[in-house]
Structures are given as C-alpha cells and as structure tokens.
Amino acid sequence: MYLNYKSALYLLVTSLVFCNPAFSQDDSEKQIRSQYHAAAQKDGNTNAGKLVFQSEKAACKKCHEIGGKSKLAGPDLAVIGDKYTRDQLIQQVLEPSARLHPDYASQIVITSDGLTITGVLRQQSDKELQLIDAEGKLIKIDLDDVEERKRSSISLMPSDIYKNVTAAQFTDLIEYLTSLKQTEGDAY
C-alpha cells in the first residue's frame, strides 16, 4: 500500500490527536456537536429535512409523530416550531438529556428475574406497567414482577445523531422542525 503526502499527513495527525490521552472522546464529541450546531444556524431545506425526519438513519419516527394520535416515547412535534427557537431545537436534538421534560423521562425497571428494561411510561394500572422503549415498542410488565423502578435523567433519544446524519442533513432536519407551526384555525 502506497500513501501520498496528504494521506500520510492525515494519518499522522489523526493518530497524534486520537492516541493522545489529553484528547478524550468527550472532547471529540463536543467538537462534532459544535460543528453541527454551527451548521444548523444556517438555513436548510424543509423538504429535505422532512425526508431526514422520516429516514431510518435519523430514526426520529420511532418515537415522534407529527400531528398523530399514537402515544409514542417522545412528544408529538406538530407545533414544535412554535414552542422552541431554532437554537433551542438544535440544543434539544444534539443534547436531549440537557432539558428533559418529566412526561418523557425514562423509567428503569428491574424485574424479579434480573431483567433491566428502560422506556417511557405509557400507562400504569394496578396490575401492569406499560413502557415504550427506544425502538418504539410497547413493553408490558406485570407489577408483581417489578423488583425495582426508578426515573432516569438520561433521555431515550440518542445524543449521537451526528453518527447517523451529515451536518447538511442535520441542518435540513432543524429547518423542518422549525417549520412545524400551528396553522390558522387549527387547535392543539
């Protein structure tokens, strides 16, 4: 294998940066989030953003609807553009655990047979607990099987969207989310 000058330089710099104990994974992730945040400050394409939202890569639709009737793990985003500024939306998508609404806080349940289940509470009766997991699946647990249950401060929403979408796709996604506003005559 032969390397040209640019490739060799790239390999040298990356190995120095990523093998350097002073450069942690957290620093790398902060830098990437910062780049995505900066990119999303610019205007994107609403239609392309809708496609990102609907894509399997971004996985938004597993937990969010736009004006739907289903109760999923995350909130309905039909009027999210009215509720948050662009900057707040960027922050919420890049760091979903930073400001976690109590209605969408995860529950961690440990069953009597040692199984750990994490999800957002959908419903509870005197016999059963229903959680929606990160894949959007409904999980039913008999209350008699619950050994321990606690609220998590970590959102089910992944904080690493940058691993699945490009900065340009993220910009388009934010543009789409900012466009989701209440139209005249609609009630939410």
Side-chain angles (χ1 to χ4, degrees), residues 63-92:
C63 296
H64 298 282
E65 282 193 317
I66 310 293
K69 302 290 184 222
S70 299
K71 184 169 192 261
L72 301 176
D76 187 307
L77 302 178
V79 293
I80 198 75
D82 284 327
K83 294 179 181 178
Y84 295 103
T85 66
R86 178 182 212 88
D87 207 45
Q88 289 170 327
L89 283 169
I90 294 167
Q91 168 103 28
Q92 285 293 122

Short mmCIF file of all heavy atoms in Angstrom, two decimals, residues 63-92:
data_model
loop_
_atom_site.label_atom_id
_atom_site.label_comp_id
_atom_site.label_asym_id
_atom_site.label_seq_id
_atom_site.Cartn_x
_atom_site.Cartn_y
_atom_site.Cartn_z
N CYS A 63 -40.05 7.44 17.71
CA CYS A 63 -40.56 7.99 18.98
C CYS A 63 -41.39 9.27 18.83
O CYS A 63 -41.98 9.72 19.81
CB CYS A 63 -39.39 8.28 19.91
SG CYS A 63 -38.48 6.79 20.38
N HIS A 64 -41.40 9.87 17.64
CA HIS A 64 -42.12 11.13 17.45
C HIS A 64 -43.09 11.05 16.28
O HIS A 64 -42.79 10.42 15.28
CB HIS A 64 -41.13 12.28 17.16
CG HIS A 64 -40.19 12.55 18.27
ND1 HIS A 64 -40.53 13.25 19.39
CD2 HIS A 64 -38.89 12.21 18.42
CE1 HIS A 64 -39.49 13.34 20.19
NE2 HIS A 64 -38.48 12.72 19.63
N GLU A 65 -44.22 11.74 16.43
CA GLU A 65 -45.19 11.89 15.35
C GLU A 65 -45.37 13.37 15.07
O GLU A 65 -45.01 14.21 15.87
CB GLU A 65 -46.54 11.30 15.75
CG GLU A 65 -46.61 9.81 15.67
CD GLU A 65 -48.05 9.32 15.76
OE1 GLU A 65 -48.81 9.82 16.59
OE2 GLU A 65 -48.38 8.43 14.98
N ILE A 66 -45.96 13.63 13.92
CA ILE A 66 -46.34 14.99 13.55
C ILE A 66 -47.86 14.99 13.44
O ILE A 66 -48.42 14.56 12.44
CB ILE A 66 -45.71 15.43 12.20
CG1 ILE A 66 -44.21 15.15 12.15
CG2 ILE A 66 -46.05 16.88 11.90
CD1 ILE A 66 -43.37 15.95 13.08
N GLY A 67 -48.54 15.43 14.50
CA GLY A 67 -49.99 15.52 14.48
C GLY A 67 -50.70 14.18 14.47
O GLY A 67 -51.81 14.07 13.98
N GLY A 68 -50.09 13.17 15.03
CA GLY A 68 -50.71 11.84 15.05
C GLY A 68 -51.51 11.60 16.31
O GLY A 68 -51.60 12.45 17.19
N LYS A 69 -52.08 10.44 16.38
CA LYS A 69 -52.93 10.07 17.52
C LYS A 69 -52.25 9.07 18.45
O LYS A 69 -52.71 8.83 19.55
CB LYS A 69 -54.26 9.47 17.03
CG LYS A 69 -55.04 10.40 16.13
CD LYS A 69 -55.60 11.58 16.91
CE LYS A 69 -56.46 12.44 16.01
NZ LYS A 69 -56.27 13.85 16.20
N SER A 70 -51.16 8.47 18.01
CA SER A 70 -50.48 7.46 18.82
C SER A 70 -49.68 8.13 19.93
O SER A 70 -49.17 9.22 19.76
CB SER A 70 -49.53 6.63 17.97
OG SER A 70 -50.23 5.95 16.97
N LYS A 71 -49.57 7.43 21.04
CA LYS A 71 -48.72 7.91 22.12
C LYS A 71 -47.41 7.15 22.02
O LYS A 71 -47.35 5.95 22.28
CB LYS A 71 -49.38 7.70 23.48
CG LYS A 71 -48.55 8.29 24.59
CD LYS A 71 -49.31 8.33 25.89
CE LYS A 71 -48.61 9.16 26.86
NZ LYS A 71 -47.84 8.90 27.82
N LEU A 72 -46.38 7.87 21.61
CA LEU A 72 -45.07 7.26 21.45
C LEU A 72 -44.16 7.69 22.60
O LEU A 72 -44.58 8.42 23.50
CB LEU A 72 -44.48 7.65 20.10
CG LEU A 72 -45.31 7.25 18.87
CD1 LEU A 72 -44.69 7.77 17.60
CD2 LEU A 72 -45.50 5.75 18.81
N ALA A 73 -42.90 7.27 22.56
CA ALA A 73 -41.96 7.58 23.64
C ALA A 73 -41.63 9.06 23.72
O ALA A 73 -41.32 9.57 24.79
CB ALA A 73 -40.69 6.76 23.47
N GLY A 74 -41.68 9.76 22.59
CA GLY A 74 -41.38 11.18 22.57
C GLY A 74 -42.61 12.00 22.26
O GLY A 74 -43.64 11.46 21.84
N PRO A 75 -42.52 13.30 22.44
CA PRO A 75 -43.69 14.16 22.21
C PRO A 75 -44.05 14.27 20.73
O PRO A 75 -43.21 14.08 19.85
CB PRO A 75 -43.25 15.52 22.75
CG PRO A 75 -41.77 15.49 22.70
CD PRO A 75 -41.36 14.06 22.91
N ASP A 76 -45.31 14.60 20.48
CA ASP A 76 -45.78 14.92 19.14
C ASP A 76 -45.13 16.26 18.77
O ASP A 76 -45.12 17.20 19.57
CB ASP A 76 -47.30 15.04 19.13
CG ASP A 76 -47.86 15.21 17.74
OD1 ASP A 76 -47.41 16.12 17.01
OD2 ASP A 76 -48.76 14.44 17.37
N LEU A 77 -44.61 16.36 17.59
CA LEU A 77 -43.86 17.56 17.19
C LEU A 77 -44.64 18.48 16.26
O LEU A 77 -44.06 19.35 15.61
CB LEU A 77 -42.54 17.14 16.51
CG LEU A 77 -41.62 16.27 17.37
CD1 LEU A 77 -40.38 15.88 16.59
CD2 LEU A 77 -41.25 16.96 18.66
N ALA A 78 -45.96 18.33 16.21
CA ALA A 78 -46.79 19.08 15.27
C ALA A 78 -46.58 20.60 15.33
O ALA A 78 -46.63 21.26 14.31
CB ALA A 78 -48.27 18.75 15.48
N VAL A 79 -46.35 21.14 16.52
CA VAL A 79 -46.18 22.60 16.65
C VAL A 79 -44.87 22.95 17.36
O VAL A 79 -44.75 23.99 18.00
CB VAL A 79 -47.39 23.25 17.36
CG1 VAL A 79 -48.65 23.13 16.50
CG2 VAL A 79 -47.62 22.64 18.73
N ILE A 80 -43.88 22.09 17.22
CA ILE A 80 -42.60 22.29 17.92
C ILE A 80 -41.92 23.60 17.51
O ILE A 80 -41.22 24.22 18.31
CB ILE A 80 -41.67 21.07 17.73
CG1 ILE A 80 -40.56 21.05 18.78
CG2 ILE A 80 -41.07 21.00 16.33
CD1 ILE A 80 -41.04 20.62 20.13
N GLY A 81 -42.15 24.04 16.29
CA GLY A 81 -41.56 25.29 15.81
C GLY A 81 -42.14 26.52 16.51
O GLY A 81 -41.50 27.58 16.52
N ASP A 82 -43.33 26.38 17.09
CA ASP A 82 -43.92 27.47 17.88
C ASP A 82 -43.38 27.47 19.31
O ASP A 82 -43.39 28.49 19.98
CB ASP A 82 -45.45 27.33 17.96
CG ASP A 82 -46.16 27.74 16.69
OD1 ASP A 82 -45.67 28.66 16.00
OD2 ASP A 82 -47.21 27.14 16.38
N LYS A 83 -42.96 26.32 19.78
CA LYS A 83 -42.56 26.18 21.18
C LYS A 83 -41.10 26.53 21.43
O LYS A 83 -40.75 26.96 22.53
CB LYS A 83 -42.82 24.75 21.65
CG LYS A 83 -44.29 24.40 21.68
CD LYS A 83 -44.49 22.98 22.13
CE LYS A 83 -45.96 22.63 22.15
NZ LYS A 83 -46.21 21.25 22.53
N TYR A 84 -40.25 26.27 20.44
CA TYR A 84 -38.81 26.46 20.64
C TYR A 84 -38.21 27.30 19.52
O TYR A 84 -38.63 27.22 18.37
CB TYR A 84 -38.09 25.10 20.67
CG TYR A 84 -38.48 24.23 21.83
CD1 TYR A 84 -39.35 23.16 21.66
CD2 TYR A 84 -37.99 24.48 23.11
CE1 TYR A 84 -39.72 22.36 22.73
CE2 TYR A 84 -38.35 23.67 24.18
CZ TYR A 84 -39.21 22.62 23.99
OH TYR A 84 -39.58 21.83 25.04
N THR A 85 -37.18 28.05 19.88
CA THR A 85 -36.42 28.79 18.87
C THR A 85 -35.53 27.80 18.13
O THR A 85 -35.35 26.65 18.57
CB THR A 85 -35.52 29.85 19.54
OG1 THR A 85 -34.52 29.18 20.32
CG2 THR A 85 -36.32 30.83 20.39
N ARG A 86 -34.96 28.24 17.05
CA ARG A 86 -34.03 27.40 16.27
C ARG A 86 -32.90 26.90 17.17
O ARG A 86 -32.56 25.72 17.17
CB ARG A 86 -33.49 28.19 15.08
CG ARG A 86 -32.50 27.41 14.24
CD ARG A 86 -31.96 28.27 13.08
NE ARG A 86 -31.68 27.41 11.96
CZ ARG A 86 -32.52 27.07 11.02
NH1 ARG A 86 -33.74 27.55 11.00
NH2 ARG A 86 -32.17 26.25 10.05
N ASP A 87 -32.33 27.80 17.93
CA ASP A 87 -31.21 27.44 18.79
C ASP A 87 -31.62 26.41 19.84
O ASP A 87 -30.87 25.47 20.13
CB ASP A 87 -30.64 28.69 19.46
CG ASP A 87 -29.18 28.54 19.80
OD1 ASP A 87 -28.41 28.04 18.96
OD2 ASP A 87 -28.80 28.89 20.94
N GLN A 88 -32.81 26.57 20.40
CA GLN A 88 -33.30 25.60 21.38
C GLN A 88 -33.54 24.23 20.75
O GLN A 88 -33.25 23.20 21.36
CB GLN A 88 -34.58 26.11 22.03
CG GLN A 88 -34.37 27.28 22.97
CD GLN A 88 -35.68 27.91 23.41
OE1 GLN A 88 -36.66 27.94 22.65
NE2 GLN A 88 -35.71 28.42 24.63
N LEU A 89 -34.06 24.22 19.53
CA LEU A 89 -34.27 22.95 18.83
C LEU A 89 -32.94 22.25 18.56
O LEU A 89 -32.82 21.03 18.74
CB LEU A 89 -35.02 23.16 17.52
CG LEU A 89 -36.52 23.41 17.66
CD1 LEU A 89 -37.12 23.87 16.34
CD2 LEU A 89 -37.22 22.15 18.16
N ILE A 90 -31.96 23.02 18.13
CA ILE A 90 -30.63 22.44 17.88
C ILE A 90 -30.11 21.79 19.16
O ILE A 90 -29.66 20.65 19.15
CB ILE A 90 -29.65 23.53 17.37
CG1 ILE A 90 -30.07 24.03 15.99
CG2 ILE A 90 -28.22 22.99 17.34
CD1 ILE A 90 -29.36 25.30 15.55
N GLN A 91 -30.20 22.52 20.26
CA GLN A 91 -29.74 22.02 21.55
C GLN A 91 -30.50 20.75 21.95
O GLN A 91 -29.91 19.77 22.38
CB GLN A 91 -29.91 23.08 22.62
CG GLN A 91 -29.73 22.59 24.04
CD GLN A 91 -28.42 22.95 24.64
OE1 GLN A 91 -27.84 23.95 24.28
NE2 GLN A 91 -27.95 22.15 25.56
N GLN A 92 -31.83 20.78 21.81
CA GLN A 92 -32.65 19.63 22.19
C GLN A 92 -32.29 18.37 21.39
O GLN A 92 -32.30 17.28 21.93
CB GLN A 92 -34.14 19.94 22.01
CG GLN A 92 -34.72 20.84 23.07
CD GLN A 92 -34.76 20.20 24.43
OE1 GLN A 92 -34.20 20.72 25.38
NE2 GLN A 92 -35.41 19.07 24.56
#
